[in-house]
Amino acid sequence: MNREEKNEVVLALQEKMQEYGNFYIADTSGLSVEKVNNIRRKCFESGIEMKVAKNTLIKIAIDGLEGDSSEIHSALKGQSALLFSKVGNAPAKLIKSLRKGKETKPELKGAYIDTAIFVGDNQLDALVSLKSREELIGEIIGLLQSPAKNVISALQCGGNKIAGIVKTLQERG
């Protein structure tokens, strides 16, 4: 691979990293072609894009991102597959589902989610439990609507009481 081709790969990876905002680095070494193809199929079904590149090219692409991303460099050893997703926890859920039973691969090497960096397979459970942006927005909207509903409910109940009191006073008088 000559320098121009390497630059094209780095630019393509940076483009994907900026487009998706989230990516995972996974180890698929030792898996059969059939299992890797199965992973690719499941990625496609889940809206996750899978790319394989050399670690040095991935490192250069990551260095082009905003902020300090040097912490994730330790994950770039051995064979690396990149999983790009718009939803931060989708690749973690996919990896977890693929590892049912005695399977230990694909192994999570690292993840970059909205500038947060997670390194190591021990972070998988934390990443699975992360809420997506849509889920967080839904929760915030629910929390904001709750007090407003309580105020409206109180005003409606209070209005009925006042009308009842006025009616009772009117009947007495």
Side-chain angles (χ1 to χ4, degrees):
M1 186 180 278
N2 65 29
R3 182 166 273 176
E4 278 184 33
E5 292 171 330
K6 289 179 182 179
N7 285 338
E8 287 177 21
V9 170
V10 168
L11 288 174
L13 288 174
Q14 283 178 335
E15 209 172 89
K16 293 282 180 203
M17 290 172 182
Q18 290 170 350
E19 176 187 346
Y20 286 95
N22 308 306
F23 66 88
Y24 284 58
I25 303 169
D27 179 9
T28 56
S29 63
L31 293 177
S32 67
V33 173
E34 180 184 343
K35 287 185 179 180
V36 172
N37 286 338
N38 182 43
I39 292 170
R40 287 183 183 278
R41 189 176 312 103
K42 297 230 187 249
C43 283
F44 179 76
E45 291 169 0
S46 302
I48 300 168
E49 191 170 336
M50 182 175 172
K51 295 278 184 198
V52 178
K54 291 184 175 187
N55 289 330
T56 53
L57 300 179
I58 296 171
K59 181 181 176 196
I60 294 168
I62 290 172
D63 287 341
L65 295 173
E66 291 180 20
D68 181 27
S69 54
S70 60
E71 188 180 341
I72 203 164
H73 291 174
S74 63
L76 296 172
K77 292 181 177 115
Q79 189 178 23
S80 298
L82 291 170
L83 304 172
F84 297 99
S85 174
K86 297 268 185 195
V87 180
N89 64 355
K93 288 180 179 179
L94 178 68
I95 290 171
K96 187 95 168 175
S97 71
L98 290 168
R99 289 172 41 177
K100 298 273 184 194
K102 296 179 182 178
E103 292 289 328
T104 58
K105 300 274 177 142
E107 183 178 334
L108 177 67
K109 293 165 75 174
Y112 181 95
I113 301 171
D114 291 328
T115 69
I117 295 174
F118 301 84
V119 178
D121 195 56
N122 58 344
Q123 300 290 322
L124 188 61
D125 290 329
L127 290 167
V128 167
S129 64
L130 276 180
K131 295 188 180 190
S132 69
R133 175 176 276 144
E134 290 76 20
E135 290 171 328
L136 290 173
I137 290 171
E139 281 186 17
I140 291 170
I141 289 172
L143 290 171
L144 291 173
Q145 285 180 340
S146 180
K149 286 180 182 177
N150 290 342
V151 168
I152 291 170
S153 175
L155 289 174
Q156 287 176 340
C157 288
N160 291 339
K161 285 181 183 177
I162 292 173
I165 292 170
V166 169
K167 186 175 180 182
T168 304
L169 291 173
Q170 192 177 31
E171 288 174 358
R172 281 188 185 173

